[in-house]
Amino acid sequence: MILIDKYAYCNKFQGIHPMEKFIFSMGTMVLTISLNSLLVSCFVVIMVGALLIFRVGIPWKFYSKIMLMPISFLLLSLVTVATVITKQPIDLLYFFPLGAWKIGITKQGLITAELLFFKAMAAVSCLYFLSLTTPIIEIMTVLRKLKVPELFLELMSLIYRFIFVLMETADRIYISQSSRLGYSSVQKGYKSLGHLIGNIFIRAFKRSQDLYNALEARGYNGQLRVMEKKYVFSLQNILLIVLLDVFLVVIANLR
Amino acid sequence: MSEYILETQNLNYQYPDGTPALKGISVKIEKGKKVALLGLNGAGKTTLFLHFNGILKASQGKVLFKGAEIKHNHKFLLDLRKKVGIVFQDPDSQLFAATVWQDISFGPLNLNLPEEVVEKRVLQALDSTGITYLKDKPTHFLSYGQKKSVSIADVLAMEPEVIIFDEPTAWLDPKHTAEIMQTFDRINEQGTTIILSTHDIDLAYAWADHIIVMGDGNILGEGLPQEILSDEDFLIKSGLVKPIILEIYEKIKSIGLIEKGKIPKNRDELLATLGEMYGKRKSLDK
């Protein structure tokens, strides 16, 4: 997770307007899902993968690792999609009998599962594109433009900032605990973990008080207003996205 | 007559549970000065600071800014916080935004300045703390020293008349400490009053124009660094140790190696005094 955050800040698509990246990722995802075509899905998986590895500069080893992450979930759900339990004498590619019932795979089920698999992978790669090229703060810029309520965005920004602060705190407590053999046995480990979690809660509370003081000192008046970086829209990129999406529609209608 | 920018009169403060934290503090901060606040942990330094900026409200007594008593209403406080800035000890509890730029822009935006001005101020604050290269960096990628610099820039961008630093050099390496102290001097030269708390007595001695020593919620003493920090009894009473420069100077003076002269404030001045002494001896020997 943290590596994704790191790549989001240091990649070759940094200077590109976050809105363009957002439109590309969301547009392509919605289109792929609604076109419901195997060809389009496969194309999107390959294209986005190539884009991320060759243009954005994400190491292929890391990318294949994160692409493998959803596969285990996906395979489990595909099994339920592809298999049928039936009493009817229908054509099954493969089955084993269970009394009067048969559990097996139909050709139709297999096709549906295949389509679903690639569609899901295409959608996942579109989301990875967004999270690997666009830092959370830029996504928030986009959401602000899309008129998402300010309260929601402020919470999002504070949570994002303090994930790292609390993680660091947890890390320090963990190190200090294990240097005193706090995790030398399973039982001790559970006990130490309990202390760690309790401590984090208390510290989070104290932090929020300190933060409030510090914000007050800088004239906080109930609204966390900050200045955002300015980006320039590139007509070329927009055109490219439109062309690509038209292309997707065309190949979906080839057959 | 000197002009006082901040003043407290018989300031008392109790924590919500009734424990007294400040016990009748009366202190005056002169405008344009470099003031160091010394005192052991728990002496009440941070609590006093929080009163200067109106975050805590005195249980008794008053706090005055430029001779006017601080009122705890929205308008007055907003105006006060525009003029008195605090840099907190732990930058992680001060930095809240996701990027350096955003964090520094928060203060000036609260002053309702137009965007161009905010932008200019942020750039200037980045420049005076020497962290322009961190402009677009996400806050959580920064090192401790860098976060410290950002927390200083945060307050600089608001261009206050007084800046209070709560233990600015705690946990900093010597290089960053020296850089930060230089930044303080630069800010001070432009007319900003600076108050800082520290445990580093050598640093306070070398840097400050005026020293205030606190202990257990009281003011134990105040005065010029070379006067107050050479008073042995006072130092013992307040749990402090004499600055090493002053100690060496007094030693060589007491054995008659030098006569009365300017008391050295820092290492270079002490070395110069020693050099002078050596030169004199040599010419005497001849």
Side-chain angles (χ1 to χ4, degrees), chain B residues 117-144:
Chain B
V117 181
V118 174
E119 212 176 307
K120 226 179 80 196
R121 285 207 182 179
V122 175
L123 285 172
Q124 219 163 25
L126 283 165
D127 187 52
S128 14
T129 41
I131 49 166
T132 308
Y133 69 104
L134 295 176
K135 190 168 66 129
D136 298 319
K137 276 264 160 47
T139 322
H140 60 273
F141 280 8
L142 308 181
S143 71
Y144 182 81

Side-chain angles (χ1 to χ4, degrees), chain A residues 225, chain B residues 78 81-82 106-113 121 157-158:
Chain A
R225 275 200 302 159
Chain B
L78 212 66
R81 286 166 190 166
K82 193 194 289 186
F106 174 73
L109 278 175
N110 284 336
L111 303 178
N112 293 320
L113 299 166
R121 285 207 182 179
M158 295 177 77

Side-chain angles (χ1 to χ4, degrees), chain A residues 49-221:
Chain A
L51 198 63
L52 281 172
I53 291 165
F54 297 113
R55 297 301 300 274
V56 182
I58 307 296
W60 67 269
K61 261 190 180 157
F62 176 72
Y63 187 64
S64 34
K65 214 155 77 192
I66 59 171
M67 280 301 270
L68 282 174
M69 277 197 311
I71 280 190
S72 48
F73 299 105
L74 201 53
L75 286 180
L76 269 179
S77 44
L78 288 182
V79 169
T80 56
V81 170
T83 51
V84 284
I85 305 173
T86 181
K87 245 175 163 176
Q88 314 306 308
I90 50 167
D91 198 16
L92 291 174
L93 289 176
Y94 175 82
F95 72 92
F96 56 90
L98 206 75
W101 297 76
K102 278 194 271 183
I103 301 175
I105 303 165
T106 61
K107 196 172 175 219
Q108 193 51 46
L110 209 58
I111 290 172
T112 316
E114 189 190 19
L115 186 61
L116 207 62
F117 174 80
F118 282 101
K119 227 161 75 175
M121 288 313 275
V124 166
S125 26
C126 287
L127 284 177
Y128 274 147
F129 176 84
L130 189 67
S131 42
L132 284 168
T133 59
T134 324
I136 299 277
I137 38 162
E138 291 183 5
I139 294 178
M140 283 191 285
T141 311
V142 171
L143 294 178
R144 188 163 283 131
K145 284 220 170 81
L146 297 175
K147 302 274 178 258
V148 171
E150 203 53 44
L151 179 70
F152 180 80
L153 293 173
E154 276 173 16
L155 279 175
M156 199 170 154
S157 144
L158 285 178
I159 290 168
Y160 177 65
R161 166 84 183 97
F162 281 93
I163 283 175
F164 294 97
V165 174
L166 288 178
M167 218 162 54
E168 221 177 87
T169 314
D171 202 43
R172 273 194 224 133
I173 297 175
Y174 178 80
I175 290 172
S176 102
Q177 282 179 330
S178 36
S179 73
R180 284 176 287 160
L181 299 177
Y183 293 90
S184 52
S185 72
V186 178
Q187 207 188 355
K188 282 185 192 130
Y190 275 120
K191 209 169 163 190
S192 300
L193 190 67
H195 281 301
L196 187 146
I197 293 169
N199 218 308
I200 293 269
F201 269 110
I202 296 165
R203 290 205 194 184
F205 186 72
K206 189 175 176 316
R207 275 236 185 263
S208 68
Q209 194 57 49
D210 288 349
L211 178 74
Y212 185 74
N213 278 349
L215 288 178
E216 281 258 277
R218 286 200 277 160
Y220 176 60
N221 47 19

Side-chain angles (χ1 to χ4, degrees), chain B residues 38-258:
Chain B
L38 294 169
L40 305 180
N41 291 327
K45 292 170 299 202
T46 306
T47 315
L48 179 62
F49 284 165
L50 293 178
H51 279 90
F52 282 151
N53 178 282
I55 289 179
L56 293 179
K57 199 175 166 187
S59 314
Q60 259 174 61
K62 25 180 161 168
V63 182
L64 292 92
F65 177 73
K66 286 188 173 171
E69 190 180 340
I70 290 179
K71 290 189 231 17
H72 282 260
N73 63 49
H74 183 73
K75 201 174 154 280
F76 192 95
L77 285 182
L78 212 66
D79 199 51
L80 178 70
R81 286 166 190 166
K82 193 194 289 186
K83 288 167 185 155
V84 182
I86 299 188
V87 177
F88 289 83
Q89 183 181 352
D90 182 2
D92 264 329
S93 57
Q94 186 184 325
L95 307 183
F96 73 94
T99 71
V100 170
W101 179 273
Q102 289 183 347
D103 212 277
I104 301 176
S105 72
F106 174 73
L109 278 175
N110 284 336
L111 303 178
N112 293 320
L113 299 166
E115 272 205 12
E116 310 87 65
V117 181
V118 174
E119 212 176 307
K120 226 179 80 196
R121 285 207 182 179
V122 175
L123 285 172
Q124 219 163 25
L126 283 165
D127 187 52
S128 14
T129 41
I131 49 166
T132 308
Y133 69 104
L134 295 176
K135 190 168 66 129
D136 298 319
K137 276 264 160 47
T139 322
H140 60 273
F141 280 8
L142 308 181
S143 71
Y144 182 81
Q146 290 171 331
K147 279 182 191 162
K148 193 83 219 183
S149 299
V150 175
S151 71
I152 293 170
D154 271 349
V155 173
L156 279 188
M158 295 177 77
E159 298 182 0
E161 292 174 30
V162 186
I163 307 184
I164 298 166
F165 296 93
D166 197 357
E167 296 195 24
T169 58
W171 298 4
L172 277 190
D173 57 54
K175 180 172 166 277
H176 275 96
T177 303
E179 279 170 14
I180 276 184
M181 296 317 285
Q182 276 167 17
T183 311
F184 292 171
D185 282 341
R186 271 204 308 277
I187 305 164
N188 180 255
E189 273 159 27
Q190 288 157 13
T192 311
T193 311
I194 294 185
I195 308 170
L196 63 80
S197 68
T198 180
H199 289 300
D200 188 338
I201 198 150
D202 293 312
L203 181 128
Y205 171 72
W207 176 82
D209 301 325
H210 188 81
I211 283 184
I212 301 172
V213 181
M214 279 182 81
D216 196 28
N218 293 300
I219 300 284
L220 299 178
E222 57 176 315
L224 290 173
Q226 56 270 41
E227 283 169 13
I228 192 162
L229 295 180
S230 57
D231 183 342
E232 306 269 357
D233 293 337
F234 174 75
L235 289 174
I236 291 168
K237 198 181 82 187
S238 43
L240 299 174
V241 181
K242 192 177 282 186
I244 187 80
I245 305 278
L246 199 57
E247 184 106 61
I248 295 172
Y249 173 77
E250 282 176 0
K251 185 77 190 169
I252 52 178
K253 206 174 108 183
S254 73
I255 51 180
L257 287 177
I258 40 169

